[in-house]
Amino acid sequence: MINLLNLTLPELEAWTQAELGEPKFRAMQIWQWIWQRMARDFDTMTNISRPCRESMAAKACIVWPEVTAVEESQDGTTKFLLRLEDGAQVETVLIPSDSREGVRRWTQCLSCQVGCAMGCTFCSTGEMGFERNMTMAEILGQILVAREHLGDTRLHWPMLRNIVFMGMGEPLLNFNEVMRSLQSLNSDKGLNFSPRRITVSTCGIEKNLKELGECGLAFLAVSLHAPNQELRERIMPKAARWPLDRLMSTLQSYSLNTRERITFEYLLLGGVNDGLEHARELVPLVNSVKGKLNLIVYNPAEGSPYAAPSHERVLAFEKYLWDRGVTAILRKSKGQDIKAACGQLKAARQKEQLE
Ligand code: SF4
């Protein structure tokens, strides 16, 4: 049985013709049912003939990830623990933001791998190690789960506004399925996310980075977290195998649209990378490309070797950068009470099961 969520639109068109003997426009009808109307049952596809629906049901299925836990933070951040078909578990997070008019919109943080091979020392997912890549059905299935939770059925101006690939896994190491997901997200007859509303975040590896820029299907965020090679080797040992100077020179020639900038993510770890000497080293790095900086205050996980930075150091760090012309935006860490940082909920649940 093929899960139809695993087919891109051209693949669905080919499958519809080959397996159902139906014309191309039928594939578009199925596509709209799956991605816009979030159908999970072929019987609900009422503009498709009964024999065609029966034939589909005999050959295909529509399987979403199963929600096994939902935790909602006081600030509205909502985390889902999802079980995939083989029993593997991943997380996805919905993060709210309110406009000046008081309209609530959401950003969803997607996972793209079960676990992660990169082993960044501050990350709960990194501690778990790598299990496997996720399929397009599993990556985009997270969006269907979130939209159902929100009751978000609007095709225009939906509640779910932005997608970030910042959950479990390194997107450039599951590039094929991430690319197919980006192509499908972009379909105006499907989920209809413009590339301007999608960010792919990498810890900064060489593989597939250039290709991501050339596809133009998402903005780029790079997890920097250290302003020099030596510190990067300490806190992100695997990512640092690609030296910082080579990462930066590749980013200098990265394909960007007009007005697009590369976002650098910088997690402030108390006493590790949050001094003014680190801010001083960051200035020429960020200014060497069309870049901006997101400062994120570390949210310590249980047993973590790192601590949160003090409020005073965070403010001094931010001010130092602004005074030197670096756009540095302090991101509020949301969902601390529900372990919203990548991998924390899964790690906590696994620990509970062992105890
Ligand atoms: Fe992997 Fe990202 Fe965690 Fe690093 S921070 S271990 S790349 S999931």
Side-chain angles (χ1 to χ4, degrees):
M1 281 270 194
I2 186 164
N3 184 358
L4 294 187
L5 299 187
N6 257 327
L7 300 182
T8 61
L9 182 55
E11 289 167 352
L12 183 64
E13 286 169 348
W15 182 84
T16 307
Q17 281 175 309
E19 296 293 327
L20 305 178
E22 292 282 335
K24 224 173 164 183
F25 77 87
R26 191 78 65 224
M28 180 57 84
Q29 288 176 319
I30 300 167
W31 182 257
Q32 288 174 308
W33 275 108
I34 293 173
W35 295 113
Q36 293 192 332
R37 303 172 87 162
M38 301 195 289
R40 290 205 250 186
D41 183 344
F42 295 113
D43 275 342
T44 59
M45 301 181 179
T46 45
N47 59 354
I48 295 174
S49 71
R50 182 181 294 273
C52 180
R53 290 190 326 242
E54 285 170 357
S55 177
M56 262 196 287
K59 294 174 177 174
C61 54
I62 302 168
V63 180
W64 292 17
E66 183 194 344
V67 180
T68 54
V70 182
E71 296 201 4
E72 195 174 330
S73 163
Q74 285 170 358
D75 63 25
T77 302
T78 307
K79 185 156 201 164
F80 303 83
L81 192 60
L82 304 175
R83 186 186 292 123
L84 308 178
E85 271 193 282
D86 63 353
Q89 289 190 314
V90 293
E91 300 172 357
T92 184
V93 184
L94 275 173
I95 304 148
S97 58
D98 295 327
S99 71
R100 255 176 265 154
E101 297 77 37
V103 180
R104 180 153 279 203
R105 298 281 174 234
W106 299 83
T107 294
Q108 186 173 12
C109 181
L110 296 184
S111 292
C112 65
Q113 294 182 312
V114 182
C116 182
M118 295 310 294
C120 301
T121 57
F122 48 81
C123 170
S124 300
T125 303
E127 266 176 39
M128 293 168 199
F130 174 72
E131 283 182 43
R132 67 168 176 83
N133 282 328
M134 289 169 67
T135 62
M136 181 178 98
E138 292 166 342
I139 295 171
L140 297 185
Q142 296 169 84
I143 299 178
L144 297 173
V145 165
R147 292 190 70 202
E148 184 177 71
H149 178 86
L150 293 172
D152 185 7
T153 50
R154 286 185 248 177
L155 300 182
H156 302 290
W157 202 244
M159 294 153 80
L160 181 59
R161 295 292 295 161
N162 298 298
I163 296 293
V164 293
F165 284 77
M166 290 186 187
M168 301 171 79
E170 164 52 61
L172 297 186
L173 292 181
N174 185 15
F175 195 61
N176 193 38
E177 292 302 295
V178 167
M179 276 300 294
R180 296 170 77 244
S181 302
L182 293 176
Q183 283 155 3
S184 299
L185 274 166
N186 198 228
S187 161
D188 61 354
K189 297 285 191 294
L191 287 166
N192 195 21
F193 276 84
S194 114
R196 299 171 61 84
R197 295 202 281 131
I198 304 170
T199 299
V200 171
S201 175
T202 172
C203 64
I205 56 175
E206 184 170 18
K207 199 176 173 199
N208 300 316
L209 182 59
K210 192 162 163 273
E211 289 78 0
L212 178 68
E214 283 165 0
C215 82
L217 289 172
F219 283 179
L220 175 69
V222 177
S223 297
L224 201 54
H225 307 325
N228 59 57
Q229 177 64 15
E230 187 262 321
L231 190 52
R232 215 167 130 79
E233 279 172 15
R234 256 174 58 206
I235 62 181
M236 307 171 74
K238 290 195 183 160
R241 284 181 194 160
W242 194 32
L244 185 56
D245 54 353
R246 288 198 17 222
L247 165 64
M248 294 311 297
S249 66
T250 302
L251 293 179
Q252 280 154 18
S253 55
Y254 189 83
S255 306
L256 291 173
N257 297 322
T258 336
R259 295 174 61 196
E260 184 182 343
R261 288 199 280 176
I262 295 170
T263 302
F264 290 103
E265 305 287 339
Y266 194 94
L267 186 66
L268 288 158
L269 303 164
V272 175
N273 64 356
D274 62 342
L276 291 187
E277 68 279 19
H278 302 115
R280 190 176 308 122
E281 287 183 284
L282 265 181
V283 174
L285 281 188
V286 179
N287 283 343
S288 69
V289 298
K290 266 175 72 185
K292 62 177 176 174
L293 199 62
N294 274 348
L295 298 175
I296 308 140
V297 175
Y298 181 59
N299 171 15
E302 209 183 305
S304 166
Y306 300 112
S310 73
H311 189 55
E312 295 69 38
R313 277 171 86 87
V314 170
L315 293 183
F317 198 95
E318 185 192 19
K319 182 173 183 314
Y320 185 95
L321 295 168
W322 275 106
D323 288 349
R324 282 149 189 86
V326 175
T327 306
I329 298 152
L330 184 59
R331 298 284 175 198
K332 280 190 201 139
S333 196
K334 294 197 172 178
Q336 296 203 10
D337 51 329
I338 57 159
K339 301 181 172 63
C342 169
Q344 286 186 1
L345 180 61
K346 177 177 170 181
R349 286 299 160 103
Q350 283 178 338
K351 191 162 166 268
E352 278 165 23
Q353 280 161 13
L354 290 173
E355 281 169 358

